[in-house]
Amino acid sequence: MNKKWIIVGLVVIAALVGIFFQFKDRLQPPQAKLEIAQTNVPAQVFIDGQQVSQTTPYEEYRKPGQITLRLVPISSDKPLAIWETRVTLAEGVSTVVRREFGQTDAESQGEILSFEKIGGKKAELAVVSIPDAAQVQFDGDIRGYTPLPIANAAPDDHTLTVSHPGYITREIEGIRPEPGYRLTAIVYLAEDPAERAKKEAEATASAQEEKIASSEVEILETGTGFLRVRAEPSKAGTEVARVTPGNKYPFVEESESGEWFKIEYEKGKTGWVSAEFAKKTS
């Protein structure tokens, strides 16, 4: 009798163990993985206002849902821009964050690769960029401009290239959509330093031109009733015209010595007048 109950007990235990292992995954809370890749400089990691790591790279399993991620670069060289964003973590998949820090957000670049469950067996890809309207190449083929959906993407490793005039092209290798999910790639592009310098130079030149265009030269009394306009900024320069005291003429430029003003005395015609008998006004 005892032997019989022992056998029954063993059978029951075996059944319970089988049920445990069968439902173990269901008993565990759902998990999502967050991966923050190595950045160009180490960075402290904050999630929802709490510091979770002193440096990158960093990874952990968390409850699925939306988090606020803040990366604070650690640099002894120069101050770099802190970055904060919202990230949605999906159950059973990894969300990958990469960030290369610059001194400003405009000089920084990186991407967030995150998943959204859509059901079914199709794998989809959506590409978003900052700035918008960037060209997207998928495995070398031009697909269009952001924001761009790519339906029925094969669940293999792919190369994504995002480019925009005036910005540094960013290439992401090994991007892999998963069946039943939409993989969204949010790509942050950094301004091209050469293009930025060019724009700044153009803006400075434009401002200078506007300043010059808004300036005039007023002719002062000379005692003769006129002031000679010369071809060169010199008293020995050839006289090309005469202007009347009290009148104002568009200012073009000033001589290096500051002793002569170049004016437009007639439409399309310029010459030099002595600063002794003229003053520049706005």
Side-chain angles (χ1 to χ4, degrees):
M1 189 71 176
N2 289 339
K3 185 176 181 181
K4 179 182 175 181
W5 284 110
I6 291 173
I7 293 173
V8 171
L10 291 174
V11 171
V12 172
I13 291 171
L16 290 174
V17 170
I19 293 172
F20 171 77
F21 281 105
Q22 183 179 355
F23 292 95
K24 182 181 67 171
D25 292 338
R26 299 184 187 181
L27 296 174
Q28 292 178 341
Q31 295 286 295
K33 188 177 182 182
L34 171 65
E35 296 182 52
I36 303 173
Q38 177 63 57
T39 53
N40 56 327
V41 298
Q44 296 176 334
V45 181
F46 293 80
I47 295 178
D48 294 334
Q50 299 294 318
Q51 185 171 359
V52 296
S53 178
Q54 290 285 349
T55 187
T56 49
Y58 172 77
E59 65 178 53
E60 72 162 318
Y61 287 91
R62 297 181 63 89
K63 181 181 177 181
Q66 195 174 69
I67 63 170
T68 298
L69 175 65
R70 181 180 176 89
L71 299 180
V72 181
I74 305 168
S75 174
S76 57
D77 227 10
K78 53 189 175 183
L80 299 175
I82 295 171
W83 185 53
E84 183 172 296
T85 189
R86 301 285 287 175
V87 178
T88 300
L89 305 179
E91 179 183 345
V93 293
S94 293
T95 296
V96 180
V97 178
R98 301 189 186 98
R99 185 74 172 178
E100 294 181 22
F101 297 96
Q103 289 186 273
T104 65
D105 280 341
E107 297 172 337
S108 304
Q109 58 183 318
E111 63 266 354
I112 300 174
L113 307 178
S114 60
F115 291 86
E116 176 188 357
K117 195 167 186 177
I118 57 175
K121 297 181 179 180
K122 294 181 180 179
E124 296 185 3
L125 174 64
V127 186
V128 180
S129 71
I130 300 172
D132 202 3
Q135 185 187 80
V136 176
Q137 293 184 44
F138 189 64
D139 291 335
D141 297 326
I142 297 175
R143 292 297 189 93
Y145 296 84
T146 57
L148 178 71
I150 300 177
N152 302 325
D156 297 316
D157 288 341
H158 301 278
T159 298
L160 188 67
T161 306
V162 182
S163 59
H164 192 290
Y167 292 80
I168 298 172
T169 298
R170 188 152 185 88
E171 185 174 277
I172 310 169
E173 296 181 342
I175 192 167
R176 187 183 182 89
E178 296 290 342
Y181 289 88
R182 178 183 296 110
L183 169 56
T184 299
I186 304 176
V187 183
Y188 299 81
L189 300 179
E191 287 186 356
D192 187 328
E195 286 296 321
R196 186 171 63 252
K198 181 180 176 182
K199 287 180 182 179
E200 290 174 354
E202 289 174 350
T204 301
S206 177
Q208 185 65 23
E209 287 174 3
E210 288 180 8
K211 182 178 178 181
I212 290 174
S214 66
S215 298
E216 294 180 317
V217 172
E218 181 181 355
I219 308 304
L220 305 178
E221 288 297 333
T222 62
T224 61
F226 64 86
L227 179 63
R228 291 182 174 85
V229 182
R230 302 185 183 276
E232 299 85 24
S234 167
K235 291 182 179 180
T238 303
E239 182 180 322
V240 294
R242 292 184 178 185
V243 288
T244 305
N247 289 347
K248 295 181 180 180
Y249 301 88
F251 169 77
V252 178
E253 64 177 297
E254 187 174 334
S255 66
E256 291 184 6
S257 65
E259 296 177 352
W260 295 83
F261 295 138
K262 193 174 191 179
I263 64 170
E264 185 179 36
Y265 61 89
E266 287 182 21
K267 187 67 175 177
K269 296 182 179 180
T270 60
W272 296 88
V273 295
S274 172
E276 183 180 354
F277 300 102
K279 69 176 182 179
K280 188 169 64 172
T281 62
S282 297

